[in-house]
Amino acid sequence: MPVQTKKHWQQRLHDVVYESNTIAGKAFDITLLLLIFTSILVVMLDSVEAWHSRYGYIFNILEWVFTFLFTIEYILRLICIKKPWRYVTSFLGMVDLIAIIPSYLSVFFAGANSLLVFRSLRLLRVFRIFKLTNFISEMQFLGAAIRASLKKISIFMSIVLMLVVILGSVMYLVEGRQHGFTSIPESIYWAIVTITTVGYGDISPATPLGKLVASLIMLMGYGIIAVPTGIVTNEMVNAVRNKKLHTETCPVCGRESHDADAKYCKYCGAKL
Amino acid sequence: MPVQTKKHWQQRLHDVVYESNTIAGKAFDITLLLLIFTSILVVMLDSVEAWHSRYGYIFNILEWVFTFLFTIEYILRLICIKKPWRYVTSFLGMVDLIAIIPSYLSVFFAGANSLLVFRSLRLLRVFRIFKLTNFISEMQFLGAAIRASLKKISIFMSIVLMLVVILGSVMYLVEGRQHGFTSIPESIYWAIVTITTVGYGDISPATPLGKLVASLIMLMGYGIIAVPTGIVTNEMVNAVRNKKLHTETCPVCGRESHDADAKYCKYCGAKL
Amino acid sequence: MPVQTKKHWQQRLHDVVYESNTIAGKAFDITLLLLIFTSILVVMLDSVEAWHSRYGYIFNILEWVFTFLFTIEYILRLICIKKPWRYVTSFLGMVDLIAIIPSYLSVFFAGANSLLVFRSLRLLRVFRIFKLTNFISEMQFLGAAIRASLKKISIFMSIVLMLVVILGSVMYLVEGRQHGFTSIPESIYWAIVTITTVGYGDISPATPLGKLVASLIMLMGYGIIAVPTGIVTNEMVNAVRNKKLHTETCPVCGRESHDADAKYCKYCGAKL
Amino acid sequence: MPVQTKKHWQQRLHDVVYESNTIAGKAFDITLLLLIFTSILVVMLDSVEAWHSRYGYIFNILEWVFTFLFTIEYILRLICIKKPWRYVTSFLGMVDLIAIIPSYLSVFFAGANSLLVFRSLRLLRVFRIFKLTNFISEMQFLGAAIRASLKKISIFMSIVLMLVVILGSVMYLVEGRQHGFTSIPESIYWAIVTITTVGYGDISPATPLGKLVASLIMLMGYGIIAVPTGIVTNEMVNAVRNKKLHTETCPVCGRESHDADAKYCKYCGAKL
């Protein structure tokens, strides 16, 4: 019956587009990855004056070819699943959309093409393709550690922001306009460049007092950089320790997170 | 009776100004936060030549409006508490004062206005407003770790200072005046820029020997930067570990190292 | 019988060339090390214009002398072992080959000489010569920790790469050609320079918006640099912890986590 | 009897010069510290052209005054102890000598004066003066951690050195003389500037290929910087953990380093 067949081709398509355990599926994924790589490369080369002037025309054609193919892929992804909307609203779904929109936008707005580099986000699929399950577990570990330290980091960052605002304005007072510290926002930019130890040198203190203050800021930044590192490291160490703790659950109260050397449930005292 | 009523309006005012669990209180806090943000923004924009020349007049008026409002707020905070002096001497209290003084100073001293950016310190109130209690606990954790490592860091810093004084003067001898190392303080500034890996490049060694010494300093700084990070991380790891260990011993088997949430001894199952 | 004698001189040669517990062996190794050092020094000095113009001829002769000696050494290493192929395919074996090939290449290709600096890899032999066994154990510790964190680091790096591609192209859109961001690859290069906190300053944002984005990137890089450090530190801490825990359980009370040097159970005092 | 009295004034002198628990001793130490500070300040100011031309004469006189006083102090330190030689050969003893020699050298060699900044080393005495015993314990902790990680760090550094030699020469081949990479040593200097994330920008890649290689080096350095930090942090964490282990010694075999939860000696099985 049609319905049956319909489901059938949809299911088959799904296996090809979403899964990669069939030959067709693997082929599809690898082709897709190569397409993504080349499309990004094309965008980059096209941005180089010398290449653009010579091969701009070809790049433009290629661009539309890629867009066309990605559009088809996007449609395929939509039609072969039960809940298309869930895919559209998913992270990878939005990435896929962002990968094709710019080309169409470029018809109306010049330069929108450059947004195409956001396609590099699609490379995230690489983690799926080669079935790097353990890699994914590593990612989860990193993700967990970063998520756990996000609060602390955000506090740290907000404090750093206040610091650079104050330090920047101090330098604005000390150095003044004639030495490149043309305004407070400019000075704040300098303070960020300095405290993050980037140090472009496009703006640098000229007066003795300015250099003294700058030195203090640098030494401060030297100590401050220890904080985010400490936070993340600490969370990772804990993540590992806690992972150790996720041993068996209590047979009575069914609660988890007993130490490795625990003989009795620490919540209800039942024998483990 | 008057006293009663007096206490009454004072109490009500207190709830609005200091607390944020009433609608009025929340409204007050959010308005305050917005005022702080805008006032800082105004100061910044006013420092930009282009904006100052065009809207300097308006900025000036706004400045006085903000100062007026903050002054009222300050007075309100004073009159609605039992011990005003405790507020004045508190950190937030001094910050609030620093936020209004510059404007009045600017009447006598030109440029004092720039000090207004210290208002950014007032943003610390943001942590109170949104009742980010757990954020505050995180802050305490960070604070504790930093306080614990302060001694070690200060030793480290004093050693670094000696180091840069010596290294700076060595470079002054090696490179000499003609290559930008015009004086020992200047060379010390360079040494700090180098050892903190900021590296502006406003001063950089020119002679082969100078570059050799500079390379050694850089590699030294490369290793040295590990120390503050190590200190802070270590303190954080300990903070977590100790938080875990600060629990009573088992009354039966007398063994320690039970988790904070343990109700029963994990070794013998006895009630803690 | 010849075979016996043959084996004999081969064995003796092996002791000199590969071992360093005999006087001859030690002498050989130290001479070799000195040769390596001088050969590298010669290549470096030869690259300095001033020195090349003056002593280029002598350097060239020395170069061939070193190549000749290293070639002999290579042949000796081949003939005095049972399985020469294993040596050729070993890391040190390839390094030794790389150390002599460039000179011969330079006969056909000019400038190939510069490849001679790869001889510095031979310095790895230093670890063998002075019988720094404990140093080697330290190396193994480091190696283990790095190997263990390699997966996480590679994930981290691939994410950083995506980030710089996106951020770079954003800056290309924001700043544009006239401010040094001449192309997307160029902007990506800038993004890497910025996020790694190197900050040459050969390219730096000029527009206010550009500086704002740059500031965000710097602060991002400030937080991001914590991740690899966290990963490596974490692995090292675990390496130490695991090294401690990899010990048998007590035969009597069956409890674990005895130190590596424990002879008796620390809980019940039973012999392990 | 003379000997008695002699010993007497010597003992008293010793208390003043070496100890700081008497009023005289404290006064001596503080005066000394102030002298050191001022002498360093004078050397620094004297190196500034503007100050030298104006007050050079006074600075010179002051210099000789300080030298005279420090010489007297040095002699006092020698005569009031039993084993003067031990003091001379001690670290602080050599520092004290280094602090006075340059002035006398400057009579024969111009510029030797600049060496006077090595007096800053004398500031190490500050740790003694204020009886910062706990500070000293902190120093010992830091010292222990650094000493413990010295081996690993030195291996790491030697590997980094090989790396920069190789990378530097690669860049020399890629960029060539016309882009500032005038020689291999110069390129190695650049590689160090880059891998340590200092990034002066006095030399920076100009060719696309050069920028690609440079990017790889930066990302490498980004990962590499994690290693020393990891090493030091790890050692500190262990130092703390081990410090915990230094609990009571075994009553039978008298050996230490039992775990906190150990009930029996892990070496001889005796009850603790």
Side-chain angles (χ1 to χ4, degrees):
Chain A
M1 59 291 263
V3 182
Q4 165 58 21
T5 46
K6 185 165 181 306
K7 252 175 79 190
H8 189 258
W9 72 256
Q10 211 175 23
Q11 188 55 50
R12 236 182 29 249
L13 188 59
H14 181 277
D15 294 347
V16 174
V17 175
Y18 283 92
E19 306 307 327
S20 55
N21 41 21
T22 64
I23 296 100
K26 223 174 218 65
F28 178 87
D29 283 342
I30 286 160
T31 329
L32 180 59
L33 195 66
L34 292 174
L35 280 175
I36 293 167
F37 266 117
T38 8
S39 66
I40 292 165
L41 200 71
V42 166
V43 175
M44 286 188 184
L45 292 177
D46 195 28
S47 75
V48 182
E49 193 51 56
W51 291 76
H52 180 72
S53 55
R54 226 179 304 154
Y55 310 106
Y57 183 66
I58 302 144
F59 287 146
N60 193 17
I61 292 164
L62 278 170
E63 201 38 73
W64 281 107
V65 172
F66 289 126
T67 312
F68 177 67
L69 293 169
F70 289 144
T71 315
I72 289 171
E73 180 216 349
Y74 192 72
I75 293 158
L76 288 178
R77 285 186 185 281
L78 281 178
I79 59 174
C80 71
I81 43 171
K82 304 259 171 310
K83 303 196 178 69
W85 192 245
R86 183 170 290 171
Y87 162 69
V88 173
T89 53
S90 71
F91 177 67
L92 282 174
M94 286 187 282
V95 168
D96 295 349
L97 195 61
I98 289 165
I100 51 179
I101 285 175
S103 305
Y104 297 116
L105 281 178
S106 67
V107 179
F108 312 103
F109 315 101
N113 259 355
S114 310
L115 296 168
L116 285 165
V117 287
F118 285 99
R119 278 185 180 162
S120 57
L121 273 170
R122 297 206 70 190
L123 294 172
L124 282 162
R125 291 196 175 281
V126 78
F127 294 116
R128 248 192 72 261
I129 287 164
F130 301 111
K131 282 218 178 310
L132 309 166
T133 43
N134 48 357
F135 259 72
I136 279 152
S137 77
E138 304 276 10
M139 275 188 94
Q140 284 163 341
F141 173 78
L142 283 180
I146 287 158
R147 221 172 299 104
S149 48
L150 217 54
K151 257 186 185 175
K152 293 196 188 67
I153 293 277
S154 57
I155 291 172
F156 169 74
M157 278 299 170
S158 55
I159 289 166
V160 168
L161 279 176
M162 286 180 206
L163 214 61
V164 291
V165 168
I166 292 162
L167 294 173
S169 57
V170 168
M171 281 303 279
Y172 172 72
L173 298 181
V174 170
E175 285 283 322
R177 296 221 162 97
Q178 64 277 25
H179 297 127
F181 295 78
T182 56
S183 69
I184 289 174
E186 192 84 9
S187 305
I188 291 167
Y189 161 74
W190 170 84
I192 292 170
V193 170
T194 301
I195 214 161
T196 56
T197 77
V198 171
Y200 286 129
D202 52 350
I203 313 170
S204 59
T207 63
L209 182 56
K211 284 174 176 176
L212 182 65
V213 176
S215 303
L216 295 176
I217 296 174
M218 286 174 223
L219 291 171
M220 200 183 290
Y222 202 41
I224 282 175
I225 201 164
V227 176
T229 314
I231 293 166
V232 173
T233 310
N234 181 27
E235 290 303 339
M236 287 184 175
V237 173
N238 295 341
V240 173
R241 193 182 290 144
N242 298 338
K243 204 166 60 194
K244 277 228 185 75
L245 300 183
H246 286 323
T247 48
E248 78 276 52
T249 51
C250 170
V252 176
C253 69
R255 246 165 300 165
E256 274 186 341
S257 81
H258 300 294
D259 294 355
D261 59 350
K263 274 185 206 49
Y264 295 86
C265 172
K266 66 185 178 183
Y267 298 108
C268 65
K271 193 133 189 49
L272 289 177
Chain B
M1 58 291 263
V3 181
Q4 166 56 22
T5 45
K6 185 164 181 305
K7 252 176 78 189
H8 190 258
W9 72 257
Q10 208 176 24
Q11 188 54 50
R12 236 184 26 251
L13 188 58
H14 181 278
D15 293 348
V16 174
V17 176
Y18 283 92
E19 307 306 327
S20 56
N21 41 22
T22 64
I23 296 98
K26 223 175 219 63
F28 179 87
D29 283 343
I30 286 160
T31 327
L32 180 59
L33 194 66
L34 292 174
L35 279 175
I36 294 167
F37 266 116
T38 8
S39 65
I40 293 164
L41 201 69
V42 165
V43 175
M44 286 187 182
L45 292 177
D46 195 28
S47 75
V48 182
E49 193 51 58
W51 290 77
H52 180 73
S53 56
R54 227 178 304 153
Y55 310 107
Y57 184 66
I58 301 144
F59 287 147
N60 193 17
I61 292 162
L62 278 169
E63 201 38 72
W64 280 108
V65 172
F66 288 127
T67 312
F68 178 66
L69 292 169
F70 288 146
T71 315
I72 290 170
E73 179 216 349
Y74 191 73
I75 293 159
L76 288 178
R77 285 184 185 280
L78 283 178
I79 58 174
C80 72
I81 44 172
K82 305 259 169 313
K83 304 198 177 71
W85 191 244
R86 184 170 288 171
Y87 162 69
V88 172
T89 53
S90 72
F91 177 67
L92 283 174
M94 285 187 282
V95 168
D96 294 349
L97 195 61
I98 290 164
I100 51 178
I101 286 176
S103 304
Y104 296 116
L105 281 178
S106 67
V107 179
F108 312 103
F109 314 102
N113 259 354
S114 311
L115 297 168
L116 285 165
V117 288
F118 286 99
R119 278 186 181 160
S120 56
L121 273 170
R122 297 206 70 190
L123 293 173
L124 283 163
R125 290 197 174 279
V126 78
F127 295 116
R128 248 194 72 263
I129 288 163
F130 300 113
K131 284 218 178 308
L132 307 167
T133 43
N134 48 357
F135 259 71
I136 279 152
S137 78
E138 303 276 10
M139 274 187 95
Q140 284 163 341
F141 173 79
L142 285 181
I146 287 158
R147 221 171 300 107
S149 48
L150 217 54
K151 256 187 186 175
K152 293 196 188 66
I153 293 277
S154 58
I155 291 172
F156 169 75
M157 279 300 170
S158 55
I159 289 165
V160 168
L161 278 176
M162 286 181 206
L163 214 61
V164 291
V165 168
I166 292 161
L167 294 173
S169 57
V170 168
M171 282 303 281
Y172 172 71
L173 298 181
V174 171
E175 285 283 322
R177 295 220 163 95
Q178 64 277 25
H179 297 126
F181 295 78
T182 56
S183 69
I184 289 174
E186 191 84 9
S187 305
I188 292 168
Y189 161 74
W190 170 85
I192 292 170
V193 170
T194 302
I195 215 162
T196 56
T197 78
V198 171
Y200 286 131
D202 53 349
I203 314 170
S204 60
T207 63
L209 182 55
K211 284 173 176 176
L212 181 64
V213 176
S215 303
L216 296 176
I217 296 174
M218 286 174 223
L219 292 170
M220 200 183 290
Y222 202 42
I224 282 175
I225 201 163
V227 176
T229 315
I231 294 167
V232 173
T233 310
N234 181 27
E235 291 302 340
M236 288 183 175
V237 172
N238 295 342
V240 173
R241 189 183 293 143
N242 298 340
K243 205 166 62 193
K244 270 220 181 108
L245 297 181
H246 285 325
T247 45
E248 75 279 53
T249 52
C250 171
V252 176
C253 69
R255 241 160 301 153
E256 271 183 347
S257 80
H258 300 294
D259 295 353
D261 60 349
K263 276 182 206 54
Y264 293 86
C265 171
K266 66 185 178 182
Y267 298 109
C268 65
K271 191 128 189 56
L272 289 176
Chain C
M1 58 289 266
V3 181
Q4 166 56 23
T5 45
K6 185 166 183 304
K7 250 175 80 191
H8 190 258
W9 72 257
Q10 208 175 23
Q11 188 55 49
R12 239 187 20 253
L13 187 60
H14 181 277
D15 293 347
V16 175
V17 176
Y18 283 91
E19 306 306 328
S20 57
N21 41 20
T22 64
I23 296 99
K26 220 173 220 63
F28 178 87
D29 283 343
I30 285 160
T31 330
L32 181 59
L33 194 67
L34 292 174
L35 279 175
I36 293 166
F37 266 116
T38 11
S39 66
I40 292 165
L41 200 70
V42 166
V43 175
M44 286 189 182
L45 292 178
D46 195 28
S47 75
V48 182
E49 193 51 57
W51 290 77
H52 179 72
S53 55
R54 226 179 305 154
Y55 309 107
Y57 183 65
I58 302 143
F59 287 147
N60 192 18
I61 292 163
L62 278 169
E63 201 38 72
W64 280 108
V65 173
F66 289 126
T67 313
F68 177 66
L69 293 169
F70 288 145
T71 315
I72 290 170
E73 179 216 348
Y74 191 73
I75 293 159
L76 288 178
R77 285 184 185 282
L78 281 179
I79 59 174
C80 71
I81 44 171
K82 304 259 171 312
K83 303 197 178 68
W85 191 245
R86 182 170 289 171
Y87 162 69
V88 173
T89 54
S90 72
F91 177 68
L92 282 174
M94 285 187 283
V95 167
D96 295 349
L97 196 61
I98 290 165
I100 51 179
I101 286 176
S103 304
Y104 297 116
L105 281 178
S106 66
V107 180
F108 312 103
F109 315 102
N113 259 356
S114 310
L115 297 168
L116 286 165
V117 287
F118 285 99
R119 278 184 180 162
S120 57
L121 273 171
R122 297 205 72 190
L123 293 173
L124 282 163
R125 291 197 174 279
V126 78
F127 294 116
R128 247 192 73 263
I129 287 164
F130 300 111
K131 282 222 177 309
L132 307 165
T133 44
N134 49 357
F135 259 72
I136 279 151
S137 77
E138 303 276 11
M139 273 188 98
Q140 284 163 342
F141 174 79
L142 284 180
I146 287 159
R147 222 172 297 105
S149 48
L150 217 54
K151 258 186 183 175
K152 292 195 187 69
I153 293 277
S154 57
I155 290 171
F156 169 74
M157 278 300 170
S158 55
I159 289 165
V160 167
L161 278 175
M162 286 181 206
L163 214 61
V164 290
V165 168
I166 292 161
L167 294 173
S169 57
V170 168
M171 282 303 280
Y172 171 72
L173 297 181
V174 170
E175 285 283 323
R177 296 221 161 94
Q178 64 277 25
H179 297 127
F181 295 77
T182 55
S183 67
I184 290 174
E186 192 84 9
S187 305
I188 291 167
Y189 161 73
W190 170 85
I192 292 170
V193 171
T194 302
I195 214 161
T196 55
T197 77
V198 171
Y200 286 129
D202 53 350
I203 314 171
S204 59
T207 63
L209 182 56
K211 284 172 175 176
L212 182 65
V213 176
S215 304
L216 295 176
I217 296 174
M218 286 175 223
L219 291 171
M220 200 184 290
Y222 202 42
I224 282 176
I225 201 163
V227 176
T229 314
I231 293 167
V232 173
T233 311
N234 182 27
E235 291 302 339
M236 287 184 176
V237 173
N238 295 342
V240 174
R241 190 183 294 144
N242 298 339
K243 204 166 62 195
K244 268 218 180 113
L245 297 180
H246 285 325
T247 45
E248 76 277 53
T249 51
C250 170
V252 176
C253 69
R255 242 163 297 156
E256 273 183 344
S257 80
H258 301 294
D259 295 355
D261 59 350
K263 277 184 203 54
Y264 293 86
C265 173
K266 65 185 178 183
Y267 298 108
C268 65
K271 193 132 187 51
L272 289 176
Chain D
M1 57 290 260
V3 181
Q4 166 55 25
T5 45
K6 185 164 182 304
K7 251 175 81 188
H8 189 258
W9 72 255
Q10 208 176 26
Q11 188 54 50
R12 232 179 34 247
L13 188 59
H14 181 278
D15 293 348
V16 174
V17 176
Y18 283 92
E19 306 307 327
S20 56
N21 40 21
T22 63
I23 295 99
K26 221 175 220 62
F28 179 87
D29 283 343
I30 286 160
T31 330
L32 180 59
L33 194 66
L34 292 175
L35 280 175
I36 294 167
F37 266 116
T38 10
S39 65
I40 292 164
L41 200 70
V42 166
V43 175
M44 287 188 182
L45 292 178
D46 195 28
S47 75
V48 182
E49 193 51 57
W51 291 77
H52 179 73
S53 55
R54 226 179 305 154
Y55 309 107
Y57 183 65
I58 301 143
F59 287 147
N60 192 18
I61 293 163
L62 277 169
E63 201 39 71
W64 281 107
V65 172
F66 289 125
T67 313
F68 177 66
L69 292 169
F70 288 145
T71 315
I72 290 170
E73 179 216 348
Y74 191 73
I75 293 157
L76 288 179
R77 286 184 184 281
L78 282 178
I79 58 173
C80 71
I81 45 171
K82 305 259 169 314
K83 303 198 178 68
W85 191 245
R86 184 170 289 171
Y87 162 69
V88 174
T89 53
S90 72
F91 177 67
L92 282 175
M94 286 187 282
V95 167
D96 295 349
L97 195 61
I98 289 165
I100 50 179
I101 286 176
S103 305
Y104 297 114
L105 281 179
S106 67
V107 179
F108 312 103
F109 315 101
N113 259 354
S114 311
L115 297 167
L116 285 165
V117 288
F118 285 100
R119 278 183 180 162
S120 57
L121 273 170
R122 297 205 71 189
L123 293 173
L124 283 162
R125 290 196 175 281
V126 78
F127 293 116
R128 246 192 74 263
I129 288 163
F130 300 112
K131 283 221 178 308
L132 308 166
T133 43
N134 50 355
F135 259 72
I136 278 151
S137 78
E138 302 277 10
M139 274 189 96
Q140 284 163 341
F141 174 79
L142 284 182
I146 287 158
R147 222 172 299 105
S149 47
L150 218 54
K151 257 187 185 176
K152 292 196 188 67
I153 293 278
S154 57
I155 291 171
F156 169 74
M157 278 301 170
S158 55
I159 289 165
V160 167
L161 278 176
M162 286 180 205
L163 214 61
V164 291
V165 168
I166 291 162
L167 293 173
S169 56
V170 168
M171 282 302 281
Y172 172 71
L173 297 180
V174 170
E175 285 282 324
R177 296 220 163 95
Q178 64 277 24
H179 297 126
F181 295 78
T182 54
S183 68
I184 290 174
E186 191 84 9
S187 305
I188 291 168
Y189 161 74
W190 170 85
I192 293 171
V193 170
T194 301
I195 215 162
T196 55
T197 76
V198 171
Y200 286 129
D202 53 349
I203 313 170
S204 60
T207 63
L209 182 55
K211 284 173 176 175
L212 181 65
V213 176
S215 304
L216 295 176
I217 296 174
M218 285 174 223
L219 291 171
M220 200 183 290
Y222 202 42
I224 282 176
I225 202 163
V227 177
T229 315
I231 294 167
V232 173
T233 311
N234 182 28
E235 291 302 339
M236 287 183 175
V237 173
N238 295 343
V240 173
R241 192 182 290 145
N242 299 339
K243 203 166 60 191
K244 278 231 187 73
L245 301 183
H246 287 323
T247 48
E248 78 276 54
T249 52
C250 170
V252 176
C253 69
R255 243 164 303 166
E256 272 185 344
S257 80
H258 300 295
D259 294 355
D261 60 348
K263 275 187 206 46
Y264 295 87
C265 172
K266 65 186 179 182
Y267 298 109
C268 64
K271 193 127 188 55
L272 288 175

